[in-house]
Coordinates of all heavy atoms in Angstrom, one line a residue:
H1 N 0.8 -1.2 0.1 CA 0.0 0.0 -0.1 C 1.0 1.3 0.0 O 1.8 1.3 0.9 CB -1.0 -0.1 1.2 CG -1.7 1.2 1.5 ND1 -2.2 1.5 2.7 CD2 -2.1 2.1 0.6 CE1 -2.8 2.5 2.7 NE2 -2.9 3.0 1.5
V2 N 0.7 2.1 -1.0 CA 1.4 3.3 -1.1 C 0.4 4.4 -1.5 O -0.7 4.3 -1.7 CB 2.5 3.2 -2.2 CG1 3.6 2.2 -1.9 CG2 1.9 3.0 -3.6
H3 N 1.0 5.7 -1.2 CA 0.2 6.8 -1.7 C 1.0 7.6 -2.7 O 2.2 7.8 -2.6 CB -0.1 7.8 -0.4 CG -0.9 7.2 0.6 ND1 -2.0 8.0 1.0 CD2 -1.0 6.0 1.2 CE1 -2.8 7.1 1.8 NE2 -2.1 6.1 2.0
S4 N 0.1 7.9 -3.7 CA 0.7 8.6 -4.9 C -0.4 9.4 -5.5 O -1.3 8.8 -6.1 CB 1.3 7.7 -5.9 OG 1.7 8.4 -7.1
Q5 N -0.5 10.7 -5.4 CA -1.6 11.5 -6.1 C -1.5 11.3 -7.5 O -2.5 11.2 -8.1 CB -1.3 13.0 -5.6 CG -2.4 13.9 -6.2 CD -2.2 15.2 -5.6 OE1 -1.3 15.6 -5.0 NE2 -3.3 16.1 -5.9
E6 N -0.4 11.4 -8.1 CA -0.2 11.3 -9.6 C -0.7 10.0 -10.0 O -1.4 9.8 -10.9 CB 1.2 11.6 -9.9 CG 1.4 11.6 -11.4 CD 2.8 11.9 -11.9 OE1 3.6 12.4 -11.1 OE2 3.1 11.8 -13.1
G7 N -0.1 8.8 -9.4 CA -0.5 7.5 -9.8 C -2.0 7.3 -9.5 O -2.6 6.6 -10.4
F8 N -2.6 7.7 -8.4 CA -4.0 7.5 -8.1 C -4.9 8.1 -9.2 O -5.7 7.5 -9.7 CB -4.2 8.2 -6.8 CG -5.7 8.2 -6.3 CD1 -6.1 7.1 -5.6 CD2 -6.5 9.3 -6.5 CE1 -7.4 7.1 -5.0 CE2 -7.7 9.3 -5.9 CZ -8.2 8.1 -5.3
A9 N -4.5 9.4 -9.6 CA -5.3 10.1 -10.6 C -5.2 9.4 -11.9 O -6.2 9.3 -12.6 CB -5.0 11.6 -10.6
R10 N -4.0 9.1 -12.3 CA -3.8 8.5 -13.6 C -4.4 7.1 -13.8 O -5.1 6.9 -14.7 CB -2.2 8.3 -13.9 CG -1.9 7.7 -15.3 CD -0.4 7.6 -15.5 NE 0.3 6.9 -14.5 CZ 0.5 5.6 -14.5 NH1 0.0 4.9 -15.5 NH2 1.3 5.0 -13.6
L11 N -4.3 6.1 -12.8 CA -4.9 4.9 -12.8 C -6.4 4.9 -12.8 O -7.1 4.2 -13.5 CB -4.4 4.0 -11.7 CG -2.9 3.7 -11.8 CD1 -2.5 2.8 -10.6 CD2 -2.6 3.0 -13.0
L12 N -6.9 5.9 -12.1 CA -8.5 6.1 -12.1 C -8.9 6.6 -13.4 O -9.9 6.1 -14.0 CB -8.9 7.0 -11.0 CG -9.1 6.5 -9.7 CD1 -9.5 7.6 -8.6 CD2 -10.0 5.5 -9.5
R13 N -8.2 7.5 -14.0 CA -8.5 8.1 -15.3 C -8.3 7.0 -16.4 O -9.2 7.0 -17.3 CB -7.5 9.3 -15.6 CG -7.9 10.2 -16.7 CD -7.0 11.4 -16.8 NE -5.6 11.1 -16.8 CZ -4.7 11.5 -15.7 NH1 -5.2 12.1 -14.7 NH2 -3.5 11.1 -15.7
Q14 N -7.4 6.1 -16.2 CA -7.3 5.1 -17.2 C -8.2 3.9 -17.1 O -8.1 3.0 -17.7 CB -5.8 4.6 -17.3 CG -4.9 5.7 -17.8 CD -3.4 5.2 -17.6 OE1 -3.1 4.3 -17.1 NE2 -2.6 6.1 -18.2
G15 N -9.0 3.9 -16.0 CA -10.0 2.9 -15.8 C -9.5 1.6 -15.1 O -10.0 0.5 -15.3
W16 N -8.4 1.8 -14.3 CA -7.8 0.7 -13.5 C -8.8 0.1 -12.6 O -9.6 0.9 -12.2 CB -6.4 1.0 -13.0 CG -5.4 0.9 -14.0 CD1 -5.1 1.9 -14.8 CD2 -4.5 -0.1 -14.4 NE1 -4.1 1.7 -15.6 CE2 -3.7 0.4 -15.3 CE3 -4.4 -1.3 -13.9 CZ2 -2.7 -0.4 -15.8 CZ3 -3.5 -2.3 -14.4 CH2 -2.7 -1.8 -15.4
A17 N -8.6 -1.1 -12.1 CA -9.4 -1.6 -11.1 C -9.4 -0.7 -9.9 O -8.4 -0.2 -9.5 CB -8.9 -3.0 -10.7
H18 N -10.6 -0.6 -9.3 CA -10.7 0.3 -8.0 C -11.9 -0.1 -7.3 O -12.9 -0.7 -7.7 CB -10.8 1.7 -8.6 CG -12.1 2.1 -9.4 ND1 -12.0 1.9 -10.7 CD2 -13.2 2.6 -9.0 CE1 -13.2 2.2 -11.2 NE2 -14.0 2.6 -10.2
T19 N -11.8 0.3 -6.1 CA -12.9 0.1 -5.1 C -13.9 1.2 -5.3 O -13.5 2.3 -5.7 CB -12.4 0.0 -3.7 OG1 -11.8 1.3 -3.3 CG2 -11.5 -1.2 -3.5
P20 N -15.1 1.1 -4.8 CA -16.1 2.2 -5.0 C -15.8 3.4 -4.1 O -15.1 3.3 -3.1 CB -17.4 1.6 -4.4 CG -17.2 0.1 -4.5 CD -15.7 -0.1 -4.3
Q21 N -16.1 4.5 -4.6 CA -15.8 5.8 -4.0 C -16.4 5.9 -2.6 O -15.8 6.5 -1.7 CB -16.4 7.0 -4.8 CG -16.2 8.3 -4.2 CD -14.8 8.8 -4.3 OE1 -14.1 8.6 -5.1 NE2 -14.4 9.7 -3.3
D22 N -17.5 5.2 -2.4 CA -18.2 5.2 -1.2 C -17.8 4.2 -0.1 O -18.3 4.0 0.9 CB -19.8 5.3 -1.3 CG -20.3 4.1 -2.0 OD1 -19.5 3.3 -2.4 OD2 -21.5 3.9 -2.0
A23 N -16.8 3.4 -0.5 CA -16.3 2.4 0.5 C -15.1 2.9 1.2 O -13.9 3.0 0.7 CB -15.8 1.1 -0.4
A24 N -15.5 3.4 2.3 CA -14.5 4.1 3.2 C -13.4 3.2 3.7 O -13.6 2.1 4.0 CB -15.2 4.9 4.4
Y25 N -12.2 3.8 3.9 CA -11.1 3.0 4.4 C -11.3 2.3 5.7 O -11.9 3.0 6.6 CB -9.9 3.9 4.4 CG -8.6 3.1 4.6 CD1 -8.0 2.5 3.6 CD2 -7.9 3.1 5.9 CE1 -6.8 1.7 3.8 CE2 -6.7 2.4 6.0 CZ -6.2 1.7 5.0 OH -5.0 1.0 5.2
G26 N -11.0 1.1 5.9 CA -11.2 0.4 7.2 C -12.7 -0.2 7.4 O -12.9 -0.5 8.5
T27 N -13.5 -0.1 6.4 CA -14.9 -0.5 6.6 C -15.2 -1.9 6.0 O -14.3 -2.4 5.1 CB -15.9 0.4 5.9 OG1 -15.6 0.4 4.6 CG2 -15.8 1.9 6.4
P28 N -16.1 -2.6 6.4 CA -16.5 -3.9 5.8 C -16.8 -3.9 4.3 O -16.4 -4.7 3.5 CB -17.6 -4.4 6.5 CG -17.6 -3.7 7.9 CD -16.9 -2.3 7.6
E29 N -17.4 -2.6 3.9 CA -17.6 -2.4 2.5 C -16.3 -2.5 1.7 O -16.3 -3.0 0.6 CB -18.4 -1.1 2.3 CG -19.8 -1.1 2.8 CD -19.8 -0.8 4.4 OE1 -18.9 -0.4 5.0 OE2 -20.9 -1.3 5.0
L30 N -15.3 -1.7 2.2 CA -13.9 -1.8 1.6 C -13.4 -3.2 1.5 O -13.0 -3.7 0.5 CB -13.0 -0.8 2.1 CG -11.6 -0.7 1.4 CD1 -11.8 -0.2 0.1 CD2 -10.7 0.2 2.2
S31 N -13.5 -3.9 2.5 CA -13.0 -5.3 2.7 C -13.6 -6.2 1.6 O -12.9 -6.9 0.9 CB -13.2 -5.8 4.0 OG -12.7 -7.2 4.1
R32 N -15.0 -6.0 1.5 CA -15.7 -6.8 0.5 C -15.3 -6.4 -0.9 O -15.1 -7.4 -1.9 CB -17.2 -6.7 0.7 CG -17.6 -7.5 1.9 CD -19.2 -7.6 1.9 NE -19.7 -6.4 2.3 CZ -20.0 -5.9 3.6 NH1 -19.6 -6.7 4.5 NH2 -20.5 -4.8 3.8
A33 N -15.2 -5.2 -1.2 CA -14.7 -4.6 -2.5 C -13.3 -5.2 -2.9 O -13.1 -5.6 -4.0 CB -14.7 -3.1 -2.6
V34 N -12.4 -5.2 -1.9 CA -11.0 -5.7 -2.2 C -11.1 -7.1 -2.4 O -10.3 -7.6 -3.4 CB -10.1 -5.2 -0.9 CG1 -8.7 -6.0 -1.1 CG2 -9.8 -3.8 -0.9
E35 N -11.8 -7.8 -1.7 CA -11.9 -9.3 -1.9 C -12.4 -9.6 -3.2 O -11.8 -10.5 -4.0 CB -12.9 -9.9 -0.8 CG -13.1 -11.4 -1.0 CD -14.1 -11.9 0.0 OE1 -15.0 -11.3 0.4 OE2 -13.9 -13.2 0.3
A36 N -13.4 -8.9 -3.8 CA -13.9 -9.2 -5.2 C -12.8 -8.9 -6.2 O -12.7 -9.6 -7.2 CB -15.1 -8.2 -5.4
L37 N -12.0 -7.7 -6.0 CA -11.0 -7.4 -6.9 C -9.9 -8.4 -6.9 O -9.5 -8.9 -8.1 CB -10.4 -6.1 -6.6 CG -11.2 -4.8 -6.9 CD1 -10.6 -3.6 -6.3 CD2 -11.5 -4.6 -8.3
V38 N -9.5 -8.9 -5.9 CA -8.3 -9.9 -5.9 C -8.7 -11.2 -6.3 O -7.9 -12.0 -6.8 CB -7.6 -9.9 -4.5 CG1 -7.0 -8.6 -4.2 CG2 -8.4 -10.5 -3.4
K39 N -10.0 -11.5 -6.3 CA -10.5 -12.8 -6.8 C -10.3 -12.8 -8.2 O -10.4 -14.1 -8.9 CB -11.9 -13.1 -6.4 CG -12.0 -13.6 -4.9 CD -13.4 -13.9 -4.6 CE -13.6 -14.5 -3.2 NZ -15.0 -14.8 -2.9
T40 N -10.4 -11.8 -8.9 CA -10.3 -11.7 -10.4 C -8.9 -11.8 -11.0 O -8.8 -12.1 -12.2 CB -11.0 -10.4 -10.9 OG1 -10.3 -9.3 -10.6 CG2 -12.4 -10.4 -10.5
D41 N -8.0 -11.5 -10.2 CA -6.5 -11.5 -10.7 C -5.6 -11.9 -9.4 O -5.7 -11.3 -8.4 CB -6.2 -10.2 -11.3 CG -4.9 -10.2 -11.9 OD1 -4.2 -11.2 -12.0 OD2 -4.6 -9.1 -12.6
P42 N -4.8 -12.9 -9.6 CA -3.9 -13.3 -8.5 C -2.8 -12.4 -8.2 O -2.0 -12.4 -7.2 CB -3.4 -14.6 -8.9 CG -3.4 -14.6 -10.4 CD -4.6 -13.8 -10.8
C43 N -2.6 -11.4 -9.0 CA -1.4 -10.5 -9.0 C -1.8 -9.2 -9.7 O -2.2 -9.2 -10.8 CB -0.2 -11.1 -9.5 SG 1.3 -10.0 -9.3
G44 N -1.7 -8.0 -8.9 CA -2.1 -6.8 -9.6 C -2.0 -5.6 -8.7 O -1.5 -5.6 -7.7
V45 N -2.6 -4.5 -9.3 CA -2.7 -3.2 -8.7 C -4.1 -2.7 -8.8 O -4.8 -2.9 -9.7 CB -1.8 -2.2 -9.3 CG1 -2.0 -0.8 -8.8 CG2 -0.3 -2.7 -9.3
F46 N -4.5 -2.2 -7.5 CA -5.9 -1.4 -7.5 C -5.7 -0.1 -6.8 O -4.8 0.1 -6.0 CB -6.9 -2.4 -7.1 CG -6.9 -2.8 -5.7 CD1 -7.4 -2.0 -4.6 CD2 -6.2 -3.9 -5.2 CE1 -7.4 -2.3 -3.3 CE2 -6.2 -4.3 -3.9 CZ -6.7 -3.5 -2.9
V47 N -6.7 0.8 -7.1 CA -6.9 2.0 -6.4 C -8.1 2.0 -5.4 O -9.1 1.4 -5.8 CB -7.1 3.1 -7.6 CG1 -7.3 4.5 -7.0 CG2 -6.1 3.1 -8.5
T48 N -7.8 2.6 -4.4 CA -9.0 2.7 -3.4 C -9.6 4.2 -3.7 O -9.1 5.1 -3.1 CB -8.4 2.6 -2.0 OG1 -7.4 3.4 -1.7 CG2 -8.1 1.1 -1.6
A49 N -10.6 4.2 -4.4 CA -11.2 5.4 -4.9 C -11.7 6.3 -3.7 O -11.7 7.5 -3.8 CB -12.3 5.2 -5.8
G50 N -12.1 5.6 -2.6 CA -12.5 6.4 -1.5 C -11.5 6.6 -0.4 O -11.7 7.2 0.7
H51 N -10.3 6.3 -0.7 CA -9.1 6.6 0.1 C -8.0 7.4 -0.6 O -7.4 6.8 -1.4 CB -8.5 5.2 0.6 CG -7.3 5.4 1.5 ND1 -7.4 6.0 2.7 CD2 -6.1 4.8 1.3 CE1 -6.2 5.7 3.3 NE2 -5.4 5.1 2.5
A52 N -8.1 8.6 -0.6 CA -7.3 9.5 -1.4 C -5.9 9.0 -1.6 O -5.2 8.8 -0.6 CB -7.3 10.9 -1.0
E53 N -5.4 8.9 -2.8 CA -4.1 8.6 -3.2 C -3.6 7.2 -2.9 O -2.4 6.7 -3.1 CB -3.0 9.5 -2.5 CG -3.3 11.0 -2.8 CD -2.2 11.9 -2.2 OE1 -1.2 11.4 -1.7 OE2 -2.4 13.1 -2.3
G54 N -4.6 6.4 -2.4 CA -4.2 4.9 -2.1 C -4.2 4.0 -3.2 O -5.0 3.8 -4.1
L55 N -3.0 3.4 -3.4 CA -2.7 2.5 -4.4 C -2.2 1.1 -3.6 O -1.4 1.2 -2.8 CB -1.6 2.8 -5.4 CG -1.7 4.1 -6.1 CD1 -0.4 4.4 -6.9 CD2 -2.9 4.1 -7.0
F56 N -2.8 0.0 -4.0 CA -2.4 -1.2 -3.5 C -1.9 -2.2 -4.5 O -2.5 -2.2 -5.6 CB -3.7 -1.9 -2.8 CG -4.1 -1.4 -1.6 CD1 -4.7 -0.1 -1.5 CD2 -3.8 -2.0 -0.3 CE1 -5.1 0.5 -0.3 CE2 -4.3 -1.4 0.9 CZ -4.8 -0.1 0.9
A57 N -0.8 -2.8 -4.2 CA -0.2 -4.0 -5.1 C -0.3 -5.2 -4.3 O -0.1 -5.2 -3.1 CB 1.1 -3.6 -5.5
Y58 N -0.6 -6.4 -5.0 CA -0.7 -7.6 -4.3 C -0.2 -8.7 -5.3 O -0.1 -8.5 -6.4 CB -2.1 -7.9 -3.9 CG -3.0 -8.0 -4.9 CD1 -3.4 -9.2 -5.5 CD2 -3.6 -6.9 -5.5 CE1 -4.3 -9.3 -6.6 CE2 -4.5 -6.9 -6.7 CZ -4.9 -8.2 -7.1 OH -5.7 -8.2 -8.2
G59 N 0.2 -9.8 -4.8 CA 0.6 -10.9 -5.5 C 0.8 -12.1 -4.7 O 0.5 -12.2 -3.4
T60 N 1.3 -13.2 -5.2 CA 1.5 -14.5 -4.5 C 2.7 -14.4 -3.7 O 2.9 -15.2 -2.7 CB 1.4 -15.7 -5.4 OG1 2.5 -15.4 -6.4 CG2 0.2 -16.0 -6.1
T61 N 3.6 -13.5 -4.0 CA 4.8 -13.3 -3.3 C 4.9 -11.8 -3.1 O 4.4 -11.0 -3.9 CB 6.1 -13.8 -3.9 OG1 6.4 -13.1 -5.1 CG2 5.9 -15.3 -4.1
V62 N 5.8 -11.3 -2.2 CA 6.2 -9.8 -2.1 C 6.8 -9.4 -3.4 O 6.5 -8.3 -3.8 CB 7.1 -9.6 -0.9 CG1 7.5 -8.0 -0.8 CG2 6.3 -9.9 0.4
Q63 N 7.6 -10.1 -3.9 CA 8.3 -9.7 -5.2 C 7.3 -9.5 -6.3 O 7.4 -8.6 -7.1 CB 9.3 -10.8 -5.6 CG 10.1 -10.5 -6.9 CD 11.0 -9.3 -6.6 OE1 11.6 -9.1 -5.6 NE2 11.2 -8.4 -7.6
D64 N 6.2 -10.5 -6.4 CA 5.2 -10.3 -7.4 C 4.5 -9.0 -7.3 O 4.2 -8.2 -8.2 CB 4.2 -11.4 -7.3 CG 4.6 -12.8 -7.8 OD1 5.7 -12.8 -8.6 OD2 4.0 -13.7 -7.6
A65 N 4.2 -8.7 -6.0 CA 3.5 -7.4 -5.7 C 4.2 -6.2 -6.1 O 3.8 -5.2 -6.7 CB 3.1 -7.4 -4.2
L66 N 5.6 -6.2 -5.7 CA 6.5 -5.2 -6.0 C 6.6 -5.0 -7.6 O 6.5 -3.8 -8.1 CB 7.8 -5.4 -5.5 CG 8.9 -4.4 -5.7 CD1 8.6 -2.9 -5.3 CD2 10.2 -4.8 -5.2
E67 N 6.8 -6.0 -8.3 CA 6.9 -5.9 -9.7 C 5.6 -5.3 -10.3 O 5.6 -4.5 -11.3 CB 7.2 -7.2 -10.3 CG 8.6 -7.7 -10.0 CD 9.0 -9.1 -10.5 OE1 8.1 -9.8 -11.2 OE2 10.1 -9.5 -10.3
S68 N 4.4 -5.7 -9.8 CA 3.2 -5.2 -10.3 C 3.1 -3.6 -10.1 O 2.8 -2.8 -10.9 CB 2.0 -5.7 -9.6 OG 1.7 -7.1 -10.0
L69 N 3.6 -3.2 -8.9 CA 3.6 -1.8 -8.5 C 4.5 -1.0 -9.4 O 4.2 0.1 -10.0 CB 3.9 -1.6 -7.1 CG 3.8 -0.2 -6.5 CD1 2.3 0.4 -6.6 CD2 4.2 -0.1 -5.1
L70 N 5.7 -1.6 -9.6 CA 6.7 -0.9 -10.5 C 6.2 -0.8 -11.9 O 6.5 0.2 -12.6 CB 8.0 -1.6 -10.4 CG 8.7 -1.5 -9.0 CD1 9.9 -2.3 -9.0 CD2 9.0 -0.2 -8.6
R71 N 5.5 -1.8 -12.4 CA 5.0 -1.6 -13.8 C 4.1 -0.5 -13.9 O 3.8 -0.1 -15.0 CB 4.3 -3.0 -14.2 CG 5.4 -4.0 -14.7 CD 4.6 -5.2 -15.3 NE 3.6 -5.8 -14.6 CZ 3.8 -6.8 -13.6 NH1 5.1 -7.3 -13.4 NH2 2.7 -7.3 -13.0
H72 N 3.3 -0.2 -12.9 CA 2.3 0.9 -12.9 C 2.7 2.0 -12.1 O 1.9 2.7 -11.6 CB 1.0 0.3 -12.5 CG 0.7 -1.0 -13.1 ND1 0.4 -1.0 -14.5 CD2 0.6 -2.3 -12.9 CE1 0.2 -2.3 -14.9 NE2 0.3 -3.1 -13.8
N73 N 3.9 2.3 -12.0 CA 4.4 3.5 -11.2 C 3.8 4.8 -11.8 O 3.6 5.0 -13.0 CB 5.9 3.5 -11.0 CG 6.7 4.1 -12.2 OD1 6.6 5.2 -12.5 ND2 7.4 3.2 -12.8
P74 N 3.8 5.9 -11.0 CA 3.1 7.2 -11.4 C 3.7 7.8 -12.6 O 3.1 8.5 -13.4 CB 3.3 8.1 -10.2 CG 3.4 7.1 -9.0 CD 4.0 6.0 -9.6
K75 N 5.1 7.5 -12.8 CA 5.7 8.1 -14.0 C 5.6 7.3 -15.1 O 6.0 7.7 -16.3 CB 7.1 8.4 -13.6 CG 7.4 9.3 -12.5 CD 7.6 10.7 -12.9 CE 7.9 11.5 -11.6 NZ 7.0 12.6 -11.4
G76 N 5.1 6.1 -15.0 CA 4.9 5.1 -16.1 C 6.3 4.6 -16.6 O 6.3 4.3 -17.8
Q77 N 7.3 4.6 -15.8 CA 8.6 4.2 -16.2 C 9.0 2.8 -15.8 O 10.2 2.4 -15.7 CB 9.6 5.2 -15.7 CG 9.4 6.5 -16.3 CD 10.2 7.6 -15.6 OE1 10.8 7.4 -14.5 NE2 10.3 8.8 -16.2
G78 N 8.0 2.0 -15.2 CA 8.3 0.7 -14.7 C 8.6 -0.2 -15.9 O 8.4 0.0 -17.1
N79 N 9.2 -1.3 -15.5 CA 9.6 -2.4 -16.5 C 8.5 -3.4 -16.6 O 8.1 -3.9 -15.6 CB 10.9 -3.1 -16.1 CG 12.0 -2.2 -16.1 OD1 12.2 -1.3 -16.8 ND2 12.9 -2.4 -15.1
S80 N 8.1 -3.7 -17.8 CA 7.1 -4.7 -18.1 C 7.8 -6.1 -18.4 O 8.9 -6.1 -18.9 CB 6.2 -4.3 -19.2 OG 5.4 -3.2 -18.9
K81 N 7.2 -7.2 -18.0 CA 7.8 -8.5 -18.3 C 6.8 -9.1 -19.2 O 5.7 -8.9 -19.4 CB 7.8 -9.3 -16.9 CG 8.9 -8.8 -16.0 CD 9.1 -9.8 -15.0 CE 10.3 -9.3 -14.2 NZ 10.8 -10.4 -13.3

């Protein structure tokens, strides 16, 4: 979990996976929304639309999560595999 205003805005604008705007941080609603997102992809990045600047990366290993995040960094300069 990182905070990036630029990345947050860019990924939302580009239509990346995100939680609902009304799913506040720390609520059961957010938990359910995150569960639904991660069930669709075992490794990825999503934006918490109701948690300003919140970007989350996840994967089967910490390395997988880091690589997902770096591929979608705010400057768009990550390495793709």
Side-chain angles (χ1 to χ4, degrees):
H1 170 204
V2 298
H3 285 240
S4 167
Q5 182 176 8
E6 185 178 345
F8 178 84
R10 182 175 55 84
L11 293 178
L12 278 177
R13 193 172 49 250
Q14 292 176 352
W16 281 85
H18 60 277
T19 59
Q21 177 74 32
D22 61 352
Y25 193 73
T27 63
E29 292 78 19
L30 182 63
S31 179
R32 286 189 287 275
V34 169
E35 180 181 26
L37 287 172
V38 301
K39 281 184 177 180
T40 64
D41 191 354
C43 184
V45 174
F46 65 88
V47 178
T48 50
H51 177 59
E53 301 181 10
L55 304 175
F56 285 74
Y58 63 96
T60 55
T61 66
V62 171
Q63 186 65 36
D64 287 344
L66 176 60
E67 289 174 5
S68 289
L69 185 60
L70 292 175
R71 278 194 303 274
H72 307 296
N73 76 65
K75 303 265 185 242
Q77 298 170 349
N79 297 323
S80 294
K81 289 192 173 190

